[in-house]
Amino acid sequence: KVTINGRNFEVSCVVYVSEPALVSSSTTLRVGKSAQINVLGLLAQSVVSYKTSDPGIVLVSETGLMTALKTGQCDITIDVDDVRLTYHVIVTNAKVNCTWFLTRVGKTKQLSVSGQSGTTPVTYVSTNTSIASVSKTGLIKAKKRGNAYVTINVDGMKLTCVVNITYKKALSVINSGKKKLRVKYSQARRMSSRYFDCSSFVHRMYKKQKIYFGSRGYSPTAAAEAKYMVRTKKVIAYKYVDPSKLLPGDVLFIKGKYNGRYRNICHTAIYIGNGKILHSTPPCVKYGEYATYKSRISVIARPCK
């Protein structure tokens, strides 16, 4: 109530109350990436301003969009409705020197991280220490055949190194196969030194390790190779299995339409770990994805066992 010139008046006004709050108070960004700061509890009338403590590390727009420029850390100050909020940002460009360690028992690999902010510790954890252990300083040791992951925690982020441990001979097969990348595909000239088809590629790579598929001379067909693996009890599965069940060097036999051959097998490839395969398929020897053939896997063999 107010009194003006001896007269009483009743005046009313609308009061708007906001409750500014942050969805989170901190984040980690990679160099070159952007992220939006989200403020809750605002009104349509609220005016928000953003200011960075170090524009050389993080830029922030009038709308609260942050862009990371270089490694380090800084604070974003948010002023809204007489309330000041603080948002902490760590900027990282962390990378690990090895994301895939393909090896055999007894070998080691030293992991190292570069590009981190330097404001947080780096820790290493193995998903299966009986297969691959990792020290506090990032030294991986291959302990037995199998698959594991080493997770590197740095700057609030997780980096990963895939560890695939297999037979010594299987590693030699894979290394020999990699040297044949881009060698041309040909069924007609499959036994020539300058050509492969799918089954002659597998046969000839394993032949170097004195592992045969029923013939020491002319390469059998993919179906015949599979049949030999079955007969010699080298099969580990008759369908697609999770990659964690495979070892590098395992041989995949893939079915197609009816062809009158064993299990309608028409193609073969070498699994090399990390979800990848190596095979000869038109136009040349190349890498592929194991998951591509998920519905067509007919036999999986382990020639080295």
Side-chain angles (χ1 to χ4, degrees), residues 55-195:
I57 294 176
V58 176
L59 286 178
V60 62
S61 71
E62 294 180 354
T63 61
L65 182 67
M66 302 174 294
T67 301
L69 301 181
K70 70 176 184 179
T71 57
Q73 58 181 330
C74 68
D75 290 324
I76 308 295
T77 301
I78 304 109
D79 288 311
V80 52
D81 299 342
D82 294 324
V83 174
R84 174 162 286 185
L85 305 172
T86 302
Y87 193 80
H88 187 66
V89 187
I90 295 175
V91 179
T92 184
N93 198 28
K95 297 177 183 177
V96 64
N97 66 323
C98 177
T99 58
W100 179 16
F101 183 30
L102 173 58
T103 190
R104 60 184 176 87
V105 173
K107 293 295 183 179
T108 61
K109 180 71 178 181
Q110 179 65 57
L111 297 182
S112 62
V113 177
S114 60
Q116 67 269 44
S117 69
T119 60
T120 62
V122 180
T123 62
Y124 303 88
V125 179
S126 171
T127 57
N128 193 327
T129 56
S130 68
I131 291 174
S133 63
V134 62
S135 72
K136 291 181 179 180
T137 58
L139 181 67
I140 299 174
K141 182 175 181 180
K143 298 175 76 174
K144 71 176 184 180
R145 288 187 291 269
N147 306 291
Y149 296 88
V150 172
T151 301
I152 304 97
N153 297 286
V154 53
D155 288 342
M157 307 182 73
K158 291 182 188 245
L159 306 176
T160 301
C161 176
V162 178
V163 184
N164 298 136
I165 305 168
T166 191
Y167 297 86
K168 182 179 179 180
K169 286 188 175 183
L171 281 179
S172 297
V173 167
I174 292 168
N175 289 333
S176 295
K178 287 178 178 179
K179 293 177 182 177
K180 302 300 181 181
L181 282 167
R182 292 178 291 280
V183 172
K184 292 182 180 180
Y185 176 95
S186 173
Q187 282 191 322
R189 290 174 282 186
R190 63 197 294 270
M191 296 306 295
S192 165
S193 61
R194 296 183 179 181
Y195 297 91

Side-chain angles (χ1 to χ4, degrees):
K1 293 180 180 182
V2 295
T3 301
I4 301 176
N5 296 328
R7 299 180 63 185
N8 294 323
F9 295 89
E10 190 171 289
V11 180
S12 64
C13 67
V14 178
V15 178
Y16 296 94
V17 180
S18 64
E19 295 183 274
L22 293 171
V23 174
S24 63
S25 60
S26 64
T27 192
T28 299
L29 281 178
R30 281 190 180 277
V31 170
K33 298 296 183 180
S34 298
Q36 179 68 45
I37 299 175
N38 294 310
V39 183
L40 301 177
L42 301 182
L43 301 173
Q45 297 86 350
S46 296
V47 177
V48 188
S49 65
Y50 303 88
K51 184 178 180 180
T52 175
S53 64
D54 193 333
I57 294 176
V58 176
L59 286 178
V60 62
S61 71
E62 294 180 354
T63 61
L65 182 67
M66 302 174 294
T67 301
L69 301 181
K70 70 176 184 179
T71 57
Q73 58 181 330
C74 68
D75 290 324
I76 308 295
T77 301
I78 304 109
D79 288 311
V80 52
D81 299 342
D82 294 324
V83 174
R84 174 162 286 185
L85 305 172
T86 302
Y87 193 80
H88 187 66
V89 187
I90 295 175
V91 179
T92 184
N93 198 28
K95 297 177 183 177
V96 64
N97 66 323
C98 177
T99 58
W100 179 16
F101 183 30
L102 173 58
T103 190
R104 60 184 176 87
V105 173
K107 293 295 183 179
T108 61
K109 180 71 178 181
Q110 179 65 57
L111 297 182
S112 62
V113 177
S114 60
Q116 67 269 44
S117 69
T119 60
T120 62
V122 180
T123 62
Y124 303 88
V125 179
S126 171
T127 57
N128 193 327
T129 56
S130 68
I131 291 174
S133 63
V134 62
S135 72
K136 291 181 179 180
T137 58
L139 181 67
I140 299 174
K141 182 175 181 180
K143 298 175 76 174
K144 71 176 184 180
R145 288 187 291 269
N147 306 291
Y149 296 88
V150 172
T151 301
I152 304 97
N153 297 286
V154 53
D155 288 342
M157 307 182 73
K158 291 182 188 245
L159 306 176
T160 301
C161 176
V162 178
V163 184
N164 298 136
I165 305 168
T166 191
Y167 297 86
K168 182 179 179 180
K169 286 188 175 183
L171 281 179
S172 297
V173 167
I174 292 168
N175 289 333
S176 295
K178 287 178 178 179
K179 293 177 182 177
K180 302 300 181 181
L181 282 167
R182 292 178 291 280
V183 172
K184 292 182 180 180
Y185 176 95
S186 173
Q187 282 191 322
R189 290 174 282 186
R190 63 197 294 270
M191 296 306 295
S192 165
S193 61
R194 296 183 179 181
Y195 297 91
F196 294 104
D197 70 353
C198 66
S199 57
S200 67
F201 175 69
V202 171
H203 180 264
R204 287 156 64 184
M205 293 306 101
Y206 264 100
K207 184 178 179 180
K208 293 180 179 181
Q209 302 303 316
K210 302 187 184 306
I211 295 175
Y212 308 97
F213 291 78
S215 170
R216 297 194 177 198
Y218 198 80
S219 299
T221 64
E225 288 179 356
K227 198 170 185 179
Y228 180 78
M229 289 288 101
V230 172
R231 189 167 67 249
T232 54
K233 302 187 184 320
K234 298 295 180 72
V235 173
I236 63 168
Y238 286 93
K239 62 180 180 179
Y240 175 91
V241 297
D242 189 87
S244 63
K245 306 295 183 185
L246 301 179
L247 289 180
D250 288 350
V251 178
L252 315 175
F253 295 98
I254 298 157
K255 64 185 177 182
K257 295 180 180 179
Y258 177 77
N259 62 9
R261 293 178 175 174
Y262 179 67
R263 297 177 70 90
N264 295 319
I265 290 169
C266 64
H267 187 56
T268 184
I270 300 171
Y271 181 75
I272 62 172
N274 200 22
K276 309 293 183 184
I277 62 172
L278 187 59
H279 59 162
S280 180
T281 185
C284 62
V285 176
K286 56 187 175 181
Y287 294 115
E289 299 290 332
Y290 172 53
T292 299
Y293 300 97
K294 186 172 184 177
S295 63
R296 295 176 55 197
I297 299 294
S298 182
V299 173
I300 302 176
R302 186 163 294 163
C304 291
K305 78 170 186 175

